[in-house]
Amino acid sequence: MRPSLLALLLSSSLAAPLVAHSQPVYKMTFLPTNTTPHAIDASGRIVGVGTDGRGFLWSRGTMTGLGTLGGNSSVATAISSTAQVAGSSDTKNGVSHAFVYNGKALRDLGMLNGRPTFGTAINAAGQVAGYALDRNGNDRAFLYSSGKMTAIGSLGSGVARATGINKAGAVVGVSFLRGFTAQHAFLYANGVMKDLGTLGGPSSAAAAINDRGEVAGMSFVNADIQHAFLYRGGAMIDIGSFGGSSTEARALNNAGMVVGYSTRANDVPGESFSHAFLYRDGVMYDLNDLVAKRGIWTVLDAVGINDAQQIAAYACTDIGDCRAVLLEP
């Protein structure tokens, strides 16, 4: 499970950052308090959820609220290179529908077989990946393309969730196996869903895919410990951890740089919290060691990285001020 990011025991947050000289030093730009980021585009625009429980688009200090499809809440989960935003929103009757925001209004993508839908990823062509909830509350992965929402299947169980899409329309996510024995990361392309396997443990999940077909996510390495992975060249690579039991990759760029979070050695479950990481050139770096003048802030999670190496992240102080941040080299 991902550690809670709201309650803080960050005894290390006052320590001076140690700068890895072979890596860029990042400056930190703050979004408003209590904002949660979900993705970043090629221009450094960030989408997420604001204090009002609704999706936002942030661009260089300007916050644009995306509104809803008639309900009370919404979430912006992804943004394409053409600045189209995908997410989901409550409708007037309280049912979630996936949407695309084109800079002016939310476009309702509808339901899948009459069931609630959630958009999770979008590419430049406007194709959207996501999932619906069936009558039993199970996930059904979908691809929305050319005005049509289509279920893309599973790894044998009928239950799957799509989480990422690239410019070619290849989709990644997680699916239960037949018999519900475990969950595995998948890659769906040309109508075929491929099981990406694990790092040796029982389960895995894919979070994102880049335009080269590389995939980032997490996998258990044994029954108790999960590590972030980079899937490249047909193989799942263990990209390590900071010594804790829980590490997860959240996004990657087209150069294969990966961001996410990791717990650390000697962390106490329920009391200690994650540090964001940047993985590049075979090394996992603590982003807190690469941020200049971060003061009392600790970067807990990184959720997006673009080809300019700008990073969308989530940071908190030891007194509980938490917000989205843009990290720029």
Side-chain angles (χ1 to χ4, degrees), residues 245-278:
S245 62
S246 182
T247 302
E248 184 171 344
R250 313 269 267 156
L252 77 168
N253 65 12
N254 288 317
M257 301 176 191
V258 182
V259 294
Y261 73 87
S262 176
T263 55
R264 295 162 295 159
N266 302 317
D267 279 357
V268 178
E271 295 184 2
S272 303
F273 299 92
S274 58
H275 275 200
F277 73 77
L278 167 65

mmCIF file of all heavy atoms in Angstrom, residues 245-278:
data_model
loop_
_atom_site.group_PDB
_atom_site.id
_atom_site.type_symbol
_atom_site.label_atom_id
_atom_site.label_comp_id
_atom_site.label_asym_id
_atom_site.label_seq_id
_atom_site.Cartn_x
_atom_site.Cartn_y
_atom_site.Cartn_z
ATOM 1 N N SER A 245 10.111 -1.190 2.206
ATOM 2 C CA SER A 245 9.390 -2.333 1.658
ATOM 3 C C SER A 245 8.459 -1.958 0.516
ATOM 4 O O SER A 245 7.883 -2.842 -0.124
ATOM 5 C CB SER A 245 8.572 -3.003 2.765
ATOM 6 O OG SER A 245 7.612 -2.106 3.292
ATOM 7 N N SER A 246 8.303 -0.651 0.233
ATOM 8 C CA SER A 246 7.324 -0.236 -0.763
ATOM 9 C C SER A 246 7.899 0.831 -1.685
ATOM 10 O O SER A 246 8.236 1.931 -1.241
ATOM 11 C CB SER A 246 6.067 0.303 -0.064
ATOM 12 O OG SER A 246 5.088 0.674 -1.005
ATOM 13 N N THR A 247 8.042 0.491 -2.954
ATOM 14 C CA THR A 247 8.517 1.426 -3.971
ATOM 15 C C THR A 247 7.615 1.300 -5.181
ATOM 16 O O THR A 247 7.232 0.193 -5.557
ATOM 17 C CB THR A 247 9.965 1.113 -4.373
ATOM 18 O OG1 THR A 247 10.797 1.172 -3.231
ATOM 19 C CG2 THR A 247 10.474 2.100 -5.402
ATOM 20 N N GLU A 248 7.268 2.435 -5.792
ATOM 21 C CA GLU A 248 6.363 2.399 -6.935
ATOM 22 C C GLU A 248 6.767 3.442 -7.959
ATOM 23 O O GLU A 248 6.982 4.605 -7.621
ATOM 24 C CB GLU A 248 4.926 2.653 -6.477
ATOM 25 C CG GLU A 248 3.893 2.534 -7.585
ATOM 26 C CD GLU A 248 2.476 2.579 -7.064
ATOM 27 O OE1 GLU A 248 2.274 2.410 -5.843
ATOM 28 O OE2 GLU A 248 1.560 2.799 -7.889
ATOM 29 N N ALA A 249 6.894 3.021 -9.215
ATOM 30 C CA ALA A 249 7.109 3.951 -10.309
ATOM 31 C C ALA A 249 5.766 4.479 -10.773
ATOM 32 O O ALA A 249 4.812 3.732 -10.926
ATOM 33 C CB ALA A 249 7.825 3.256 -11.461
ATOM 34 N N ARG A 250 5.710 5.793 -11.012
ATOM 35 C CA ARG A 250 4.442 6.430 -11.349
ATOM 36 C C ARG A 250 4.399 6.951 -12.781
ATOM 37 O O ARG A 250 3.321 7.060 -13.357
ATOM 38 C CB ARG A 250 4.208 7.602 -10.395
ATOM 39 C CG ARG A 250 4.458 7.275 -8.937
ATOM 40 C CD ARG A 250 3.251 6.800 -8.248
ATOM 41 N NE ARG A 250 2.594 7.926 -7.629
ATOM 42 C CZ ARG A 250 1.302 7.966 -7.333
ATOM 43 N NH1 ARG A 250 0.533 6.965 -7.628
ATOM 44 N NH2 ARG A 250 0.783 9.005 -6.739
ATOM 45 N N ALA A 251 5.558 7.281 -13.348
ATOM 46 C CA ALA A 251 5.586 7.854 -14.692
ATOM 47 C C ALA A 251 6.997 7.733 -15.252
ATOM 48 O O ALA A 251 7.964 7.504 -14.518
ATOM 49 C CB ALA A 251 5.166 9.325 -14.651
ATOM 50 N N LEU A 252 7.105 7.923 -16.568
ATOM 51 C CA LEU A 252 8.415 7.929 -17.227
ATOM 52 C C LEU A 252 8.323 8.804 -18.469
ATOM 53 O O LEU A 252 7.236 9.074 -18.979
ATOM 54 C CB LEU A 252 8.871 6.521 -17.590
ATOM 55 C CG LEU A 252 8.260 5.811 -18.808
ATOM 56 C CD1 LEU A 252 9.072 4.557 -19.140
ATOM 57 C CD2 LEU A 252 6.817 5.427 -18.607
ATOM 58 N N ASN A 253 9.506 9.269 -18.923
ATOM 59 C CA ASN A 253 9.536 10.068 -20.149
ATOM 60 C C ASN A 253 10.108 9.243 -21.288
ATOM 61 O O ASN A 253 10.403 8.044 -21.130
ATOM 62 C CB ASN A 253 10.293 11.388 -19.941
ATOM 63 C CG ASN A 253 11.770 11.191 -19.637
ATOM 64 O OD1 ASN A 253 12.313 10.095 -19.784
ATOM 65 N ND2 ASN A 253 12.430 12.248 -19.201
ATOM 66 N N ASN A 254 10.283 9.854 -22.453
ATOM 67 C CA ASN A 254 10.724 9.103 -23.616
ATOM 68 C C ASN A 254 12.202 8.756 -23.594
ATOM 69 O O ASN A 254 12.667 7.976 -24.442
ATOM 70 C CB ASN A 254 10.379 9.864 -24.896
ATOM 71 C CG ASN A 254 8.888 9.851 -25.176
ATOM 72 O OD1 ASN A 254 8.236 8.820 -25.023
ATOM 73 N ND2 ASN A 254 8.328 10.988 -25.557
ATOM 74 N N ALA A 255 12.946 9.297 -22.624
ATOM 75 C CA ALA A 255 14.337 8.909 -22.434
ATOM 76 C C ALA A 255 14.473 7.757 -21.441
ATOM 77 O O ALA A 255 15.589 7.329 -21.137
ATOM 78 C CB ALA A 255 15.162 10.102 -21.953
ATOM 79 N N GLY A 256 13.355 7.268 -20.930
ATOM 80 C CA GLY A 256 13.389 6.172 -19.974
ATOM 81 C C GLY A 256 13.685 6.589 -18.555
ATOM 82 O O GLY A 256 13.982 5.742 -17.711
ATOM 83 N N MET A 257 13.614 7.903 -18.258
ATOM 84 C CA MET A 257 13.747 8.375 -16.880
ATOM 85 C C MET A 257 12.431 8.130 -16.148
ATOM 86 O O MET A 257 11.358 8.424 -16.686
ATOM 87 C CB MET A 257 14.098 9.859 -16.843
ATOM 88 C CG MET A 257 15.374 10.205 -17.542
ATOM 89 S SD MET A 257 15.647 11.993 -17.555
ATOM 90 C CE MET A 257 17.014 12.097 -18.717
ATOM 91 N N VAL A 258 12.519 7.593 -14.949
ATOM 92 C CA VAL A 258 11.344 7.157 -14.201
ATOM 93 C C VAL A 258 11.249 7.931 -12.899
ATOM 94 O O VAL A 258 12.267 8.204 -12.252
ATOM 95 C CB VAL A 258 11.427 5.646 -13.901
ATOM 96 C CG1 VAL A 258 10.182 5.164 -13.157
ATOM 97 C CG2 VAL A 258 11.623 4.847 -15.179
ATOM 98 N N VAL A 259 10.028 8.289 -12.503
ATOM 99 C CA VAL A 259 9.806 8.924 -11.197
ATOM 100 C C VAL A 259 8.747 8.151 -10.426
ATOM 101 O O VAL A 259 7.922 7.428 -10.993
ATOM 102 C CB VAL A 259 9.373 10.398 -11.332
ATOM 103 C CG1 VAL A 259 10.486 11.245 -11.916
ATOM 104 C CG2 VAL A 259 8.092 10.532 -12.158
ATOM 105 N N GLY A 260 8.784 8.322 -9.108
ATOM 106 C CA GLY A 260 7.826 7.667 -8.229
ATOM 107 C C GLY A 260 8.171 7.949 -6.793
ATOM 108 O O GLY A 260 8.690 9.017 -6.457
ATOM 109 N N TYR A 261 7.897 6.981 -5.933
ATOM 110 C CA TYR A 261 8.193 7.149 -4.507
ATOM 111 C C TYR A 261 8.738 5.847 -3.936
ATOM 112 O O TYR A 261 8.527 4.763 -4.489
ATOM 113 C CB TYR A 261 6.945 7.569 -3.717
ATOM 114 C CG TYR A 261 5.936 6.455 -3.532
ATOM 115 C CD1 TYR A 261 6.014 5.569 -2.460
ATOM 116 C CD2 TYR A 261 4.896 6.278 -4.435
ATOM 117 C CE1 TYR A 261 5.100 4.534 -2.304
ATOM 118 C CE2 TYR A 261 3.979 5.262 -4.286
ATOM 119 C CZ TYR A 261 4.081 4.389 -3.215
ATOM 120 O OH TYR A 261 3.184 3.359 -3.068
ATOM 121 N N SER A 262 9.442 5.966 -2.821
ATOM 122 C CA SER A 262 9.945 4.798 -2.111
ATOM 123 C C SER A 262 9.976 5.078 -0.615
ATOM 124 O O SER A 262 10.300 6.191 -0.195
ATOM 125 C CB SER A 262 11.368 4.444 -2.577
ATOM 126 O OG SER A 262 11.898 3.363 -1.823
ATOM 127 N N THR A 263 9.628 4.070 0.166
ATOM 128 C CA THR A 263 9.903 4.156 1.601
ATOM 129 C C THR A 263 11.383 3.847 1.812
ATOM 130 O O THR A 263 12.078 3.395 0.905
ATOM 131 C CB THR A 263 9.017 3.180 2.387
ATOM 132 O OG1 THR A 263 9.195 1.847 1.860
ATOM 133 C CG2 THR A 263 7.557 3.571 2.289
ATOM 134 N N ARG A 264 11.847 4.101 3.021
ATOM 135 C CA ARG A 264 13.280 3.996 3.291
ATOM 136 C C ARG A 264 13.574 2.953 4.353
ATOM 137 O O ARG A 264 12.683 2.524 5.078
ATOM 138 C CB ARG A 264 13.806 5.362 3.744
ATOM 139 C CG ARG A 264 13.731 6.442 2.676
ATOM 140 C CD ARG A 264 13.843 7.824 3.273
ATOM 141 N NE ARG A 264 12.701 8.123 4.138
ATOM 142 C CZ ARG A 264 12.693 9.045 5.078
ATOM 143 N NH1 ARG A 264 13.784 9.758 5.310
ATOM 144 N NH2 ARG A 264 11.623 9.256 5.789
ATOM 145 N N ALA A 265 14.825 2.540 4.426
ATOM 146 C CA ALA A 265 15.236 1.572 5.438
ATOM 147 C C ALA A 265 14.928 2.111 6.829
ATOM 148 O O ALA A 265 15.075 3.303 7.092
ATOM 149 C CB ALA A 265 16.726 1.278 5.307
ATOM 150 N N ASN A 266 14.456 1.242 7.687
ATOM 151 C CA ASN A 266 14.135 1.558 9.086
ATOM 152 C C ASN A 266 12.899 2.440 9.246
ATOM 153 O O ASN A 266 12.626 2.927 10.340
ATOM 154 C CB ASN A 266 15.326 2.229 9.793
ATOM 155 C CG ASN A 266 16.569 1.375 9.765
ATOM 156 O OD1 ASN A 266 16.500 0.164 9.990
ATOM 157 N ND2 ASN A 266 17.705 1.985 9.474
ATOM 158 N N ASP A 267 12.147 2.664 8.146
ATOM 159 C CA ASP A 267 10.873 3.363 8.287
ATOM 160 C C ASP A 267 9.916 2.523 9.118
ATOM 161 O O ASP A 267 9.936 1.291 9.060
ATOM 162 C CB ASP A 267 10.250 3.619 6.914
ATOM 163 C CG ASP A 267 10.839 4.836 6.225
ATOM 164 O OD1 ASP A 267 11.680 5.498 6.841
ATOM 165 O OD2 ASP A 267 10.467 5.111 5.077
ATOM 166 N N VAL A 268 9.090 3.204 9.890
ATOM 167 C CA VAL A 268 8.102 2.532 10.731
ATOM 168 C C VAL A 268 6.759 2.586 10.012
ATOM 169 O O VAL A 268 6.253 3.675 9.728
ATOM 170 C CB VAL A 268 7.991 3.213 12.106
ATOM 171 C CG1 VAL A 268 6.914 2.527 12.953
ATOM 172 C CG2 VAL A 268 9.336 3.185 12.816
ATOM 173 N N PRO A 269 6.150 1.430 9.709
ATOM 174 C CA PRO A 269 4.858 1.449 9.019
ATOM 175 C C PRO A 269 3.829 2.286 9.763
ATOM 176 O O PRO A 269 3.667 2.152 10.976
ATOM 177 C CB PRO A 269 4.455 -0.037 8.997
ATOM 178 C CG PRO A 269 5.756 -0.773 9.059
ATOM 179 C CD PRO A 269 6.640 0.064 9.946
ATOM 180 N N GLY A 270 3.162 3.180 9.030
ATOM 181 C CA GLY A 270 2.142 4.023 9.631
ATOM 182 C C GLY A 270 2.684 5.278 10.281
ATOM 183 O O GLY A 270 1.926 6.146 10.688
ATOM 184 N N GLU A 271 4.012 5.396 10.390
ATOM 185 C CA GLU A 271 4.600 6.555 11.047
ATOM 186 C C GLU A 271 5.607 7.291 10.167
ATOM 187 O O GLU A 271 5.811 8.482 10.331
ATOM 188 C CB GLU A 271 5.290 6.143 12.352
ATOM 189 C CG GLU A 271 4.331 5.601 13.405
ATOM 190 C CD GLU A 271 5.033 5.296 14.721
ATOM 191 O OE1 GLU A 271 6.248 5.540 14.816
ATOM 192 O OE2 GLU A 271 4.353 4.806 15.634
ATOM 193 N N SER A 272 6.249 6.576 9.260
ATOM 194 C CA SER A 272 7.254 7.192 8.405
ATOM 195 C C SER A 272 6.728 7.227 6.974
ATOM 196 O O SER A 272 5.863 6.435 6.605
ATOM 197 C CB SER A 272 8.561 6.402 8.464
ATOM 198 O OG SER A 272 9.017 6.306 9.806
ATOM 199 N N PHE A 273 7.290 8.124 6.168
ATOM 200 C CA PHE A 273 6.676 8.385 4.881
ATOM 201 C C PHE A 273 7.696 8.398 3.764
ATOM 202 O O PHE A 273 8.897 8.486 3.982
ATOM 203 C CB PHE A 273 5.864 9.682 4.955
ATOM 204 C CG PHE A 273 4.770 9.558 5.980
ATOM 205 C CD1 PHE A 273 4.988 9.946 7.289
ATOM 206 C CD2 PHE A 273 3.568 8.983 5.637
ATOM 207 C CE1 PHE A 273 4.003 9.779 8.238
ATOM 208 C CE2 PHE A 273 2.577 8.810 6.581
ATOM 209 C CZ PHE A 273 2.784 9.206 7.887
ATOM 210 N N SER A 274 7.171 8.320 2.565
ATOM 211 C CA SER A 274 7.979 8.097 1.388
ATOM 212 C C SER A 274 8.812 9.305 0.997
ATOM 213 O O SER A 274 8.532 10.437 1.404
ATOM 214 C CB SER A 274 7.058 7.726 0.221
ATOM 215 O OG SER A 274 6.117 8.759 0.003
ATOM 216 N N HIS A 275 9.823 9.054 0.181
ATOM 217 C CA HIS A 275 10.578 10.082 -0.513
ATOM 218 C C HIS A 275 10.415 9.853 -2.010
ATOM 219 O O HIS A 275 10.406 8.706 -2.482
ATOM 220 C CB HIS A 275 12.060 10.031 -0.149
ATOM 221 C CG HIS A 275 12.390 10.775 1.095
ATOM 222 N ND1 HIS A 275 13.675 11.200 1.377
ATOM 223 C CD2 HIS A 275 11.631 11.180 2.138
ATOM 224 C CE1 HIS A 275 13.686 11.837 2.541
ATOM 225 N NE2 HIS A 275 12.453 11.825 3.022
ATOM 226 N N ALA A 276 10.282 10.928 -2.765
ATOM 227 C CA ALA A 276 10.187 10.826 -4.216
ATOM 228 C C ALA A 276 11.545 10.457 -4.804
ATOM 229 O O ALA A 276 12.595 10.842 -4.277
ATOM 230 C CB ALA A 276 9.713 12.152 -4.800
ATOM 231 N N PHE A 277 11.517 9.717 -5.916
ATOM 232 C CA PHE A 277 12.772 9.350 -6.566
ATOM 233 C C PHE A 277 12.759 9.724 -8.037
ATOM 234 O O PHE A 277 11.716 9.875 -8.673
ATOM 235 C CB PHE A 277 13.069 7.863 -6.402
ATOM 236 C CG PHE A 277 12.214 6.934 -7.238
ATOM 237 C CD1 PHE A 277 12.448 6.749 -8.595
ATOM 238 C CD2 PHE A 277 11.182 6.209 -6.666
ATOM 239 C CE1 PHE A 277 11.676 5.897 -9.366
ATOM 240 C CE2 PHE A 277 10.394 5.354 -7.421
ATOM 241 C CZ PHE A 277 10.644 5.196 -8.773
ATOM 242 N N LEU A 278 13.963 9.880 -8.566
ATOM 243 C CA LEU A 278 14.222 9.979 -10.000
ATOM 244 C C LEU A 278 15.196 8.872 -10.357
ATOM 245 O O LEU A 278 16.270 8.764 -9.759
ATOM 246 C CB LEU A 278 14.829 11.335 -10.354
ATOM 247 C CG LEU A 278 15.430 11.469 -11.757
ATOM 248 C CD1 LEU A 278 14.361 11.348 -12.833
ATOM 249 C CD2 LEU A 278 16.207 12.772 -11.902
#
